[in-house]
Amino acid sequence: MDRVSSFDEPLKKLLGGATAKVMAEHLDLHTVGDLLHHYPRRYEERGKLTALADLPLDEHVTVVAQVADARILMFNNGRGKRLEVTLTDGSGRLQLVFFGHGVHKPHKELLPGRQAMFAGKVSVFNRKMQLAHPTYQLLDASDADEATEAVDAFAGRLLPIYPACKQLDSWRIAKAVDAVLPSAQDAVDPLPAALREGRGFTPLPEALLKVHRPQTKADIEDAKARLKWDEAFVLQVALARRRYADTQLPAAARRPVADGLLDAFDAKLPFTLTEGQEKVSKEIFDDLATEHPMHRLLQGEVGSGKTMVALRAMLAVVDAGGQAAMLAPTEVLAQQHHRSITEMMGELAEGGMLGGSDHGTKVVLLTGSMGTAARRQALLDLVTGEAGIVIGTHALIEDKVQFHDLGLVVVDEQHRFGVEQRDALRSKGKQPPHLLVMTATPIPRTVAMTVFGDLETSVLDQLPAGRSPIASHVVPAKDKPHFLARAWERVREEVENGHQAYVVCPRIGDDAEEAEGKKGKAKKKTAEEDPEKRPPLAVLEIADELRKGALAGLSVEVLHGRMHPDEKDDVMRRFAAGDVDVLVATTVIEVGVNVPNATAMVIMDADRFGVSQLHQLRGRVGRGSAPGLCLLVSEAHEASPARARLSAVAATLDGFELSRIDLEQRREGDVLGQAQSGARSSLRMLTVIDDEEVIAAAREEAVAIVAADPELDHLPELRTVLAALLDKDREEYLDKG
């Protein structure tokens, strides 16, 4: 095991406490192995400078450029001093600004004609791009040792630029990497020799050297090809082992019965199922008929009829003598599912009751806020088997809840629902129940193969007839305030035409938050030094403003997560009944709220939401026969990535297209770790969006290897790397997936 130990060595030993602390806290790097896997984001060539014209706003960047001019300006009647430096690289210009005591050193060093590396966060001030107080390193001074070293490193032609943070610049990270590079020789190679040779890959120690200190561009390509494969392959082996283990679990096969509940339900449907619904239902019924647990992900656009498909699966399980549980992320949604399912089933949902159908079963609701008597009855119906279907929140998972024979678990909106909770519910069956996970967030195929790699995937991509188009527009509130006034007029027009509207805000807003804000403001610098970022707009404030101003005279109500469940339910019921014109809400309405008469939605501070969240929210309008309207209000600067994101959402209603855009925008982040388990991620080099072929090929190899040797007895290196990579959290996450 000595070979792994140098990779496990804490960074503190090699780099000293202060640097190691910053690396741990800000970059999540703790060991030599972590740092060796912290790959450069890109490489600069000697003499070829970063295009200043293409700098992204709000990102931490490293640029190499020449000083064009530098001057000291006074402000505050001569009390304040500011140094402004203009950089150029032939493609564009960039302004640097230093304040107060921080102006002396740069004023002496950053003279016109000098070349240096600069690192800082790009912002806009007075419509110009700038870096405030950047750190820098001169590249053409020969007096200081540090500068000489920088020139030597820079003369190595390809200069690695590392993902950095405010506390640690790219070149300091490069120095730290130099200190640990000798350990690359001890890397344990996870790829079986036959696979490595068959695909002509560079050995792992060499790949690590080449990625950090390439001599040529070919070195970089070599290293990347190898390191991407490692990541994809190790991850796919972990998932393949999970799937293999699942096929070894026992489960009761649940086959639909002729002339049972399902047939009775199908016979009373007022419409025919879409082709997509038929196809996906068949995939699910085939899985339910096997003697190991189904693990299937059902993804479909908002309104594609997923609930109908899930309900038919639940009815088939009830026919086969089992029970089905549906888990929703919120009480509002659980109540809504219960309402819509009992409505769809009619008298079939009244089994055992007077006037109920002979084929019927009981459909019960179980949530945390139910009264004691109703709750006791629901629990009794579950344990005796009287209730075939139960719908609830994670209150279903509490120890007190017992089932007669749990056969199927349907989880709605999986990304809101922790894997531990899914696991707890799974243990409620005599044998592991079948599992169907539904999501309205479209997931590109490659992500499905990685994030949800332990689930088989079904996709519903046709919308049922009768859904209306939604027009989406960005409203630039800062540049064009009259656009916002027009947005409120449009809401008024929709209400006058007998429709309703949503207004969504990122924050609830209350006294505690306000007090916090006041404390924070005292510490603010002048706006000159730090253009103040205001807090996100809040439900309570906006509702108040609208009632007094733009929407005076209309019935405006609020809905947010801190209200009492009864209050929430009351507001939703009145909104659904048409008694409320405008609902001002947080994202509690994102999932599953269904009011066909609501045709307009205004999303305030839309740039503070993610792409898929905006798509989910927008899906709440246009659910009836009238066309929908979604207005994305933002104060983001026109050239910012945030505005680009909003324009993308406004330009298409295709969720799969948007999920690609979302991934491309978040490529620095990591789809796998953060999105799913909150645990540290293993994807450093692989970008799920670009490397579809690598992922697909790695999956094939992984499946073959696991089928031949499930315990990896003949591949000890692969086992070692798996153990190190899937640290506790992630291993458990995969286990519970």
Side-chain angles (χ1 to χ4, degrees):
M1 288 302 283
D2 294 346
R3 299 175 56 202
V4 199
S5 59
S6 69
F7 262 47
D8 292 339
E9 193 91 30
L11 287 171
K12 197 155 72 180
K13 276 194 176 171
L14 285 157
L15 307 178
T19 307
K21 188 170 185 244
V22 172
M23 285 195 166
E25 283 175 10
H26 297 280
L27 296 168
D28 197 14
L29 305 174
H30 306 271
T31 63
V32 167
D34 289 346
L35 183 53
L36 283 173
H37 288 301
H38 186 71
Y39 307 130
R41 178 186 300 213
R42 57 191 168 83
Y43 303 84
E44 288 296 353
E45 285 181 77
R46 176 78 166 120
K48 179 185 171 201
L49 305 177
T50 317
L52 293 181
D54 304 334
L55 288 182
L57 257 183
D58 279 343
E59 276 195 27
H60 198 85
V61 298
T62 303
V63 296
V64 177
Q66 199 166 23
V67 177
D69 72 77
R71 57 213 171 113
I72 283 201
L73 304 170
M74 300 297 195
F75 62 93
N76 268 357
N77 296 330
R79 286 198 298 276
K81 232 186 227 185
R82 182 169 85 236
L83 170 65
E84 282 186 2
V85 179
T86 307
L87 302 182
T88 177
D89 71 345
S91 78
R93 295 168 91 77
L94 176 68
Q95 188 140 25
L96 309 181
V97 52
F98 300 87
F99 291 102
H101 299 304
V103 306
H104 306 305
K105 188 169 179 250
H107 189 220
K108 284 203 301 239
E109 294 182 336
L110 297 177
L111 306 171
R114 295 220 95 158
Q115 202 181 43
M117 251 192 299
F118 300 91
K121 196 171 184 183
V122 185
S123 57
V124 168
F125 188 66
N126 283 343
R127 297 192 173 271
K128 279 189 193 153
M129 294 272 225
Q130 72 164 25
L131 297 183
H133 280 286
T135 50
Y136 62 89
Q137 191 170 19
L138 298 171
L139 293 174
D140 52 6
S142 50
D143 48 347
D145 292 347
E146 187 141 320
T148 318
E149 266 180 48
V151 175
D152 291 344
F154 194 43
R157 273 177 48 79
L158 288 164
L159 180 80
I161 304 291
Y162 287 91
C165 60
K166 194 167 116 194
Q167 296 77 1
L168 204 62
D169 322 296
S170 169
W171 53 88
R172 292 209 180 90
I173 294 173
K175 263 190 150 154
V177 169
D178 285 334
V180 300
L181 257 184
S183 301
Q185 292 309 321
D186 302 332
V188 175
D189 198 323
L191 294 192
L195 171 59
R196 190 172 65 238
E197 286 148 23
R199 290 185 177 264
F201 285 132
T202 305
L204 184 56
E206 193 184 319
L208 288 169
L209 278 169
K210 281 179 169 177
V211 79
H212 289 293
R213 298 293 172 262
Q215 297 301 306
T216 62
K217 285 185 172 169
D219 281 355
I220 299 171
E221 290 318 305
D222 260 11
K224 279 187 167 176
R226 168 66 219 253
L227 296 167
K228 273 182 183 179
W229 240 92
D230 281 18
E231 285 176 9
F233 176 72
V234 172
L235 182 63
Q236 291 302 339
V237 167
L239 292 165
R241 289 182 74 190
R242 243 349 297 146
R243 288 194 302 274
Y244 177 83
D246 285 340
T247 62
Q248 306 305 301
L249 289 174
R254 311 279 178 173
R255 298 181 183 85
V257 177
D259 297 329
L261 187 54
L262 179 61
D263 285 350
F265 175 75
D266 284 350
K268 64 193 276 303
L269 277 182
F271 50 82
T272 53
L273 298 176
T274 65
E275 236 174 275
Q277 286 174 319
E278 292 278 13
K279 178 177 136 283
V280 169
S281 289
K282 183 179 178 333
E283 291 170 350
I284 293 171
F285 288 151
D286 288 349
D287 279 1
L288 289 174
T290 61
E291 290 184 351
H292 60 84
M294 161 170 85
H295 288 110
R296 191 166 281 280
L297 174 71
L298 170 57
Q299 48 177 122
E301 282 285 10
V302 175
S304 56
K306 293 185 299 296
T307 312
M308 173 60 71
V309 168
L311 175 55
R312 293 183 72 244
M314 296 200 293
L315 296 176
V317 167
V318 174
D319 270 345
Q323 289 170 295
M326 184 185 233
L327 278 166
T330 63
E331 295 213 349
V332 169
L333 193 54
Q335 286 157 345
Q336 188 166 312
H337 273 317
H338 182 252
R339 255 199 308 276
S340 62
I341 283 175
T342 46
E343 276 165 21
M344 282 197 260
M345 287 175 65
E347 76 280 4
L348 296 175
E350 294 164 4
M353 293 185 234
L354 213 56
S357 156
D358 299 343
H359 288 301
T361 185
K362 241 186 188 182
V363 179
V364 299
L365 175 70
L366 191 61
T367 61
S369 63
M370 280 167 73
T372 322
R375 191 181 165 77
R376 193 175 294 132
Q377 185 57 53
L379 291 171
L380 189 65
D381 288 341
L382 283 178
V383 77
T384 59
E386 186 83 7
I389 294 177
V390 58
I391 295 152
T393 54
H394 44 252
L396 273 181
I397 297 168
E398 290 169 12
D399 296 339
K400 292 198 275 295
V401 181
Q402 290 184 333
F403 290 87
H404 176 64
D405 179 12
L406 181 60
L408 169 67
V409 176
V410 179
V411 179
D412 188 14
E413 283 308 319
Q414 193 265 358
H415 61 280
R416 291 292 192 85
F417 196 77
V419 280
E420 287 78 12
Q421 294 163 313
R422 255 201 282 168
D423 199 41
L425 190 72
R426 212 184 253 178
S427 62
K428 294 273 182 198
K430 293 173 184 166
Q431 289 182 318
H434 298 282
L435 176 70
L436 179 65
V437 172
M438 300 198 293
T439 176
T441 311
I443 301 160
R445 178 171 163 257
T446 43
V447 183
M449 284 197 296
T450 46
V451 179
F452 298 103
D454 59 334
L455 299 171
E456 301 298 330
T457 306
S458 295
V459 180
L460 273 176
D461 45 15
Q462 297 165 287
L463 285 190
R467 292 300 296 261
S468 304
I470 305 170
S472 308
H473 304 284
V474 179
V475 177
K478 204 168 196 170
D479 313 343
K480 301 182 176 164
H482 59 286
F483 275 37
L484 182 57
R486 176 71 190 118
W488 299 126
E489 280 172 29
R490 281 292 290 113
V491 168
R492 206 174 254 289
E493 286 163 17
E494 288 297 315
V495 172
E496 280 162 8
N497 289 332
H499 297 301
Q500 292 157 279
Y502 298 100
V503 176
V504 182
C505 303
R507 200 167 63 97
I508 297 172
D510 63 10
D511 299 328
E513 279 176 345
E514 299 314 327
E516 198 61 274
K518 286 196 181 79
K519 265 196 309 211
K521 277 195 182 111
K523 296 181 209 150
K524 281 279 182 198
K525 302 176 192 172
T526 64
E528 172 87 50
E529 289 181 44
D530 182 4
E532 187 168 304
K533 283 200 163 66
R534 64 165 177 75
L537 294 171
V539 167
L540 302 176
E541 291 150 27
I542 293 290
D544 216 33
E545 280 173 34
L546 292 175
R547 285 187 192 114
K548 291 175 185 157
L551 302 182
L554 302 185
S555 151
V556 176
E557 294 270 4
V558 300
L559 179 71
H560 57 75
R562 243 178 271 150
M563 288 162 63
H564 187 276
D566 293 348
E567 261 184 293
K568 276 194 275 195
D569 211 34
D570 177 53
V571 171
M572 266 322 299
R573 206 168 270 133
R574 286 186 296 120
F575 187 63
D579 301 339
V580 174
D581 298 323
V582 179
L583 188 62
V584 184
T586 54
T587 52
V588 291
I589 61 150
E590 173 189 354
V591 176
V593 172
N594 185 21
V595 180
N597 191 45
T599 52
M601 175 175 285
V602 180
I603 303 179
M604 307 303 290
D605 276 343
D607 48 281
R608 311 231 183 184
F609 298 99
V611 171
S612 64
Q613 202 173 24
L614 290 169
H615 181 60
Q616 290 285 323
L617 286 165
R618 171 172 62 185
R620 302 295 117 218
V621 296
R623 298 175 79 86
S625 50
L629 171 69
C630 179
L631 302 174
L632 306 165
V633 179
S634 167
E635 289 188 4
H637 187 272
E638 200 168 348
S640 65
R643 269 288 280 282
R645 233 181 16 242
L646 295 183
S647 304
V649 173
T652 178
L653 291 172
D654 178 344
F656 284 91
E657 175 57 25
L658 285 173
S659 67
R660 277 195 82 82
I661 291 165
D662 193 21
L663 267 183
E664 278 172 353
Q665 296 241 333
R666 286 188 304 146
R667 58 184 350 148
E668 285 308 326
D670 158 33
V671 190
L672 181 72
Q674 269 26 63
Q676 286 306 315
S677 61
R680 167 85 181 278
S681 158
S682 56
L683 298 194
R684 299 276 184 279
M685 185 63 81
L686 198 67
T687 49
V688 175
I689 194 86
D690 297 329
D691 297 319
E692 186 161 335
E693 282 146 39
V694 176
I695 292 170
R699 180 172 173 132
E700 237 169 83
E701 294 274 10
V703 167
I705 280 170
V706 171
D709 181 4
E711 293 305 313
L712 307 179
D713 292 327
H714 304 295
L715 299 167
E717 289 84 4
L718 178 54
R719 273 172 65 172
T720 302
V721 172
L722 257 185
L725 176 84
L726 297 170
D727 50 41
K728 276 309 288 155
D729 295 342
R730 295 173 46 78
E731 181 70 285
E732 280 170 19
Y733 151 61
L734 288 170
D735 265 348
K736 293 171 180 172

